[in-house]
Amino acid sequence: MTGQALDAGGAGRKRAFFGLFEADGWSWASVKAVFWFVVIVLLLGYLPDRAYYFTVFPTIDLGVNVVSPINFCPPSNRTLPCPVPPGAVVPWDPAPAELDLPQARTDGSIVQSGTKLIYIGGSDGTAASGTTFVASLFGGTFGPWKAGPDLPAPRAGAATIFLSGSIYVIGGRDASGKPTDTVFVSTQDAATGELGAFKASDALKLPEARAGAAVVSTASGLELIGGDNGTGPQPTVWHSAADTKGALGAWAADAALPTGIADASAGLVGDYVFLYGGRDPNGPVGLVLRGSVGGSKDAAANGRLVSWAIGGHENLPVARTRAAGFVANGTLYLLGGTDGTAPRGELYWAVPDANGNIAEWSHLAATDLPASGLAGGAAVTSGSQAFVIGGTAADGATRTSVRANLAPQPPFFQLGLLGATIPALKIDGEIGQQLGYLNASAVGGLDFALLLLVGWAFAHPARTREILGRVRRRRRR
């Protein structure tokens, strides 16, 4: 027995959907097939997925929320726009007086070693210092500063980095203000986490004295970029390769800068090192230089700076030197600094793309420093927090610090043209995940039962009409 084929229809046949389709035609059958396909995907895929994320996320999207003219953000974002621009930080807060440095410091450096912050050297505004201060990190902040191991000699404007359990203090100005060629090293005790004494490393002595250089860590070691040798900013770039045990070797020349730069900020994003701001032989600049790091396909160049480019990315909108620069979540930040006349308080940030290009540097008045400008501050990030310690304000070297949250919250409610974002439960940890799985399973099970009921109704149209008739009659009584 053969089934009846669908017909394109003819005169006098029934029409469906406001008369647009032949009720027994292929077009109407295709529309119904697509409709039920979407319904099945929605019930068995999308809704269980949303049920899971409703449990573990702070918000969930319903529909396709591409353009949202209505947005509401949490009060923790304070005066930031809603939604928050990519890379923006929550406005800076001054730390309480209990967290001030024991002494005023500027042009020092700071590193994180485990759960400790170490502020190293710097100047009191007149001469370099060899003291270090140590504070414990906890709960998104840090505790009071205590004396740490002193440097063998005073240093200000040194390039400092923590690498493989050791702190390296590279170059810097001595007590007389002259650049030096020394490298001081302190190694952390693996058992206790305590810092060892700083000692001068003969193996890492610089080829020439440098102060105000920038240092970054790459896959193969350290890159020391630019700096001042006492006669002016230099274009040199030196590489110190690390062996399999993490020990650094003697410095060797890498691709030089197009011009001499000192007191700049630097950071590694992807396969590119960015050097931004600082001063050249003529004074403060807004120049941004992009250095390409060699890949693993070339063993000799792997992890080393092989070239520098000017262009293909946006320079800073202003000239800044001695700024507090840092990198977080693939974003370059520059806070404060001086334009050559006075300390400034603006924060600028940029998000390079995968090719190392910068479309623009962003700025919001709400993210500027809350008080006067600051130059020579030391910046460090820990988790979602950024800290800037010390520096030179309008009245001289300071003991204070500021803190900002690097992770503003997204809108908790958005109403768009094709969807909405609504608040969710956000139950943290494994408990939230397990409850999310249970919610998804329950919603999926109910939706499957609903589909079975719909299928039975279509298979038994007479019985379905009878049941619906009874329901209507009961409502009329």
Side-chain angles (χ1 to χ4, degrees):
M1 180 177 180
T2 58
Q4 182 179 359
L6 290 171
D7 195 328
R13 292 189 179 274
K14 293 188 298 181
R15 303 189 68 82
F17 200 71
F18 307 104
L20 295 178
F21 301 99
E22 293 286 350
D24 297 325
W26 281 107
S27 298
W28 179 232
S30 299
V31 170
K32 290 190 291 184
V34 170
F35 170 80
W36 284 110
F37 175 78
V38 172
V39 169
I40 291 172
V41 170
L42 177 69
L43 293 179
L44 299 184
Y46 183 76
L47 291 182
D49 175 81
R50 296 296 88 184
Y52 171 81
Y53 287 112
F54 180 81
T55 307
V56 299
F57 274 31
T59 62
I60 59 169
D61 292 331
L62 302 178
V64 183
N65 197 23
V66 179
V67 179
S68 300
I70 300 177
N71 302 280
F72 295 101
C73 286
S76 59
N77 288 357
R78 292 152 64 177
T79 55
L80 291 178
C82 185
V84 180
V89 306
V90 175
W92 297 87
D93 287 317
E98 292 80 6
L99 302 184
D100 286 353
L101 290 169
Q103 302 169 3
R105 286 289 182 270
T106 186
D107 296 321
S109 50
I110 190 167
V111 295
Q112 179 181 350
S113 172
T115 59
K116 297 183 183 298
L117 292 180
I118 303 96
Y119 185 93
I120 301 169
S123 167
D124 60 6
T126 58
S129 170
T131 58
T132 72
F133 304 115
V134 180
S136 297
L137 279 166
F138 55 89
T141 185
F142 56 87
W145 297 94
K146 299 179 181 180
D150 288 346
L151 299 175
R155 291 292 183 267
T160 305
I161 195 167
F162 180 84
L163 180 69
S164 301
S166 295
I167 299 174
Y168 298 88
V169 182
I170 307 168
R173 299 185 299 274
D174 61 17
S176 68
K178 294 181 180 179
T180 63
D181 58 6
T182 57
V183 176
F184 299 144
V185 183
S186 171
T187 300
Q188 189 179 40
D189 187 284
T192 64
E194 296 298 320
L195 294 173
F198 281 95
K199 299 179 181 179
S201 171
D202 293 334
L204 292 177
K205 185 177 180 180
L206 298 177
E208 187 181 48
R210 288 290 184 272
V215 63
V216 295
S217 171
T218 67
S220 62
L222 297 181
E223 297 282 349
L224 187 71
I225 306 169
D228 193 319
N229 67 351
T231 63
Q234 300 299 307
T236 53
V237 177
W238 295 325
H239 177 79
S240 176
D243 62 18
T244 55
K245 296 181 179 180
L248 295 173
W251 299 94
D254 268 358
L257 301 171
T259 183
I261 295 288
D263 297 320
S265 300
L268 177 70
V269 179
D271 294 328
Y272 300 95
V273 171
F274 292 89
L275 188 75
Y276 49 107
R279 58 184 174 89
D280 67 7
N282 297 314
V285 297
L287 182 65
V288 177
L289 299 176
R290 183 185 64 201
S292 297
V293 178
S296 58
K297 294 182 180 180
D298 185 351
N302 183 27
R304 302 187 64 165
L305 284 166
V306 296
S307 64
W308 290 89
I310 301 177
H313 48 273
E314 188 76 13
N315 286 336
L316 287 163
V318 292
R320 290 289 186 270
T321 186
R322 296 175 59 215
F326 58 94
V327 177
N329 304 318
T331 302
L332 306 171
Y333 294 92
L334 182 139
L335 177 67
T338 176
D339 57 6
T341 61
R344 308 293 301 184
E346 295 88 358
L347 173 72
Y348 296 94
W349 74 90
V351 184
D353 64 18
N355 296 317
N357 296 320
I358 295 175
E360 64 175 347
W361 286 85
S362 301
H363 169 255
L364 286 173
T367 62
D368 293 343
L369 287 171
S372 61
L374 189 72
V380 65
T381 62
S382 178
S384 63
Q385 303 292 324
F387 306 98
V388 178
I389 316 294
T392 301
D395 55 354
T398 180
R399 301 166 53 194
T400 60
S401 62
V402 292
R403 178 184 67 179
N405 190 322
L406 299 171
Q409 296 300 305
F412 62 83
F413 177 79
Q414 293 180 293
L415 183 60
L417 301 179
L418 299 175
T421 298
I422 63 172
L425 294 179
K426 194 182 187 306
I427 300 176
D428 294 323
E430 187 175 351
I431 293 178
Q433 292 183 355
Q434 295 300 326
L435 289 176
Y437 293 140
L438 289 175
N439 284 347
S441 176
V443 171
L446 290 173
D447 289 345
F448 183 72
L450 179 61
L451 287 175
L452 290 178
L453 182 61
V454 171
W456 182 91
F458 273 94
H460 304 83
R463 182 62 175 160
T464 302
R465 285 193 294 269
E466 179 184 347
I467 295 173
L468 292 177
R470 290 178 182 177
V471 172
R472 286 194 293 268
R473 286 193 296 270
R474 288 178 180 178
R475 288 181 178 179
R476 292 172 183 171
R477 292 176 183 176

